[in-house]
Amino acid sequence: MCKGLAALPHSCLERAKEIKIKLGILLQKPDSAGDLVIPYNEKPEKPAKTQRPSLDEALQWRDSLDKLLQNNYGLASFKSFLKSEFSEENLEFWIACEDYKKIKSPTKMAEKAKQIYEEFIQTEAPKEVNIDHFTKDITMKNLVEPSLSSFDMAQKRIHSLMEKDSLPRFVRSEFYQELIK
């Protein structure tokens, strides 16, 4: 039986060890009953304290995800909406990519690139975004030597997905309807 395990590729053994560690953590008894409680807000988070947009500005968001994302109030409202649907990973990835593009130091860029990859791109990532294999492969190749454009293709795919899927749901939501009353 061990002989079969020895024949497994190195990455499979590493993955098996990771799974064993994660299962061990899950199987530990909590220190208190409070550890068993999963926090849940009955009311969605309020957008950040920024100036409420004019009606005309808010109405423009129906047709332009970019205008929504450029407005602090719109961004906060959109994020609250996505959190209420447990689908904020695409927006978080998009924001992480925007922050990444502002980095000047090659060392910090490499660290942030690794963090973004591990959090959003790699298979089984905690907040894995839904991108096709081709885009994932290109992004991985770009990360061999990180540059400001390393995540561009993946970010464009996620932007397109939010534009076609998340934005129309947001526009129909109570979050948006309250803004345009």
Side-chain angles (χ1 to χ4, degrees):
M1 191 151 171
C2 289
K3 187 176 176 184
L5 282 176
L8 286 174
H10 184 64
S11 62
C12 288
L13 285 174
E14 287 176 358
R15 185 77 180 127
K17 286 178 186 175
E18 286 176 26
I19 291 170
K20 182 180 176 185
I21 291 168
K22 288 178 183 177
L23 283 173
I25 292 169
L26 287 173
L27 294 173
Q28 289 178 355
K29 289 184 179 176
D31 293 336
S32 69
D35 292 346
L36 295 171
V37 177
I38 298 170
Y40 174 74
N41 292 336
E42 286 294 325
K43 292 185 178 179
E45 289 179 26
K46 292 275 187 208
K49 293 282 182 197
T50 57
Q51 187 174 349
R52 188 180 173 100
S54 68
L55 177 61
D56 286 342
E57 195 173 13
L59 287 172
Q60 290 176 9
W61 300 345
R62 292 186 297 195
D63 304 316
S64 175
L65 178 63
D66 290 326
K67 286 186 180 180
L68 170 69
L69 297 174
Q70 290 166 5
N71 180 287
N72 288 338
Y73 197 96
L75 180 62
S77 295
F78 190 51
K79 189 171 189 173
S80 293
F81 164 72
L82 292 173
K83 279 186 176 185
S84 76
E85 291 197 331
F86 304 99
S87 64
E88 69 270 20
E89 67 281 346
N90 287 341
L91 181 60
E92 288 179 7
F93 171 71
W94 186 87
I95 292 169
C97 291
E98 288 298 297
D99 291 344
Y100 174 80
K101 291 177 191 176
K102 297 172 188 166
I103 298 172
K104 304 280 187 256
S105 158
T107 306
K108 288 183 180 176
M109 187 180 289
E111 290 170 6
K112 182 72 172 176
K114 182 179 187 287
Q115 183 230 331
I116 291 171
Y117 174 78
E118 289 174 352
E119 190 172 354
F120 299 102
I121 304 288
Q122 78 180 7
T123 305
E124 306 281 326
K127 297 179 181 178
E128 186 176 2
V129 291
N130 187 9
I131 54 173
D132 57 272
H133 289 289
F134 177 75
T135 302
K136 189 179 275 197
D137 290 345
I138 295 291
T139 303
M140 288 170 58
K141 286 176 184 163
N142 290 344
L143 294 177
V144 172
E145 290 183 39
S147 70
L148 292 177
S149 61
S150 292
F151 293 102
D152 282 0
M153 183 181 238
Q155 187 182 19
K156 284 176 185 161
R157 294 273 197 266
I158 292 303
H159 183 279
S160 177
L161 187 64
M162 288 192 300
E163 205 166 41
K164 290 178 181 137
D165 182 50
S166 305
L167 182 61
R169 288 195 330 271
F170 172 67
V171 168
R172 290 188 303 268
S173 76
E174 192 176 307
F175 287 84
Y176 183 73
Q177 294 302 316
E178 284 294 316
L179 282 173
I180 59 170
K181 278 186 177 177

